[in-house]
Amino acid sequence: MLRSLFGKGKKKGASSPTSQDDNIRAAKVGDVVSISGLRLEYDDVYFFVEKINRYSSETETWYEALCVDGDNQVWIDWTGGYDLTVTATDDPDPVGLGSIGTTEEELIQLDEEHSIDNFIEIEGDKYYYRNSAEVTFYQDSRGQGEGFYNWDLVHEDGEHVLSVSKWEGKPFEATFSEVISPDRIVLYKGDRGDAGKGRK
């Protein structure tokens, strides 16, 4: 879904890792990443990749990694297609529709009209509709997966993303993330182990 957003359809370590690997697409649980440009205080921090989950819709696949250093946590999402798009957030806790000033009816209208001219306005900022679709979530990139419906919108500055999800039996949830240039993330091979349990 991330690829469709942009025209095609997220405590200082004791020592620095030494073996640089590929970009974020090569990440495995147990690897280490550094990320710059998200928060100044994270620029010299090395995060361990603790969990990797997979998402898929009818047209694309993307991944999310939980990256941890002490009490610091960053979620990084990236696309699985030809073009690499990366978003990151250190505040994954969702908010309700009331907090973003929209309603279920407005989301349904966005979905039905499927127009990138439509937007949601939040405190004077416009988030333009990019896509909405049924998505399957695979915790730890395994198993049969669990479905939900998702809307993706992009801030008018092109640097921030709003995602709204609806899981069966749960209220709508909205989360915000920032677009990160892939070259701002450096991946190092670590002690690759088994995945933990992903977020939902």
Side-chain angles (χ1 to χ4, degrees):
M1 183 100 32
L2 286 174
R3 184 164 54 91
S4 66
L5 291 176
F6 302 96
K8 292 249 182 174
K10 149 175 37 13
K11 175 162 101 178
K12 205 178 255 188
S15 62
S16 171
T18 57
S19 176
Q20 184 173 340
D21 194 12
D22 201 348
N23 64 38
I24 189 63
R25 281 182 169 157
K28 303 290 184 184
V29 170
D31 287 350
V32 175
V33 297
S34 64
I35 178 171
S36 60
L38 181 64
R39 296 283 183 273
L40 183 61
E41 59 267 34
Y42 294 160
D43 283 358
D44 296 320
V45 173
Y46 293 92
F47 293 91
F48 287 91
V49 178
E50 187 172 284
K51 305 170 186 176
I52 298 179
N53 302 316
R54 176 166 57 94
Y55 294 82
S56 65
S57 67
E58 188 174 318
T59 58
E60 57 191 317
T61 298
W62 67 101
Y63 300 85
E64 69 174 2
L66 171 60
C67 306
V68 177
D69 174 75
D71 293 333
N72 295 321
Q73 294 189 354
V74 171
W75 288 93
I76 301 174
D77 290 52
W78 67 92
T79 52
Y82 178 77
D83 296 317
L84 177 59
T85 301
V86 181
T87 62
T89 182
D90 62 353
D91 184 17
D93 293 333
V95 298
L97 295 188
S99 296
I100 61 172
T102 191
T103 64
E104 179 176 353
E105 291 71 24
E106 289 174 327
L107 288 174
I108 291 172
Q109 183 177 353
L110 287 175
D111 184 53
E112 291 176 344
E113 295 183 359
H114 210 66
S115 171
I116 61 174
D117 291 327
N118 291 341
F119 60 87
I120 291 173
E121 189 166 342
I122 304 173
E123 297 180 351
D125 292 332
K126 294 179 180 178
Y127 285 80
Y128 284 87
Y129 173 88
R130 284 298 178 264
N131 205 358
S132 52
E134 277 191 44
V135 175
T136 304
F137 166 80
Y138 298 91
Q139 183 166 284
D140 306 324
S141 302
R142 303 171 181 168
Q144 297 298 310
E146 183 177 356
F148 66 100
Y149 209 85
N150 191 77
W151 289 256
D152 278 321
L153 303 97
V154 177
H155 190 278
E156 52 195 325
D157 66 7
E159 300 297 323
H160 299 82
V161 175
L162 166 63
S163 295
V164 182
S165 59
K166 179 64 174 74
W167 298 78
E168 185 175 356
K170 295 186 177 181
F172 285 86
E173 298 179 340
T175 55
F176 294 89
S177 57
E178 298 181 31
V179 179
I180 299 292
S181 174
D183 62 12
R184 292 181 177 271
I185 298 175
V186 180
L187 175 69
Y188 305 88
K189 287 183 180 179
D191 181 15
R192 297 180 170 186
D194 292 333
K197 294 186 177 180
R199 80 170 184 218
K200 180 179 70 175

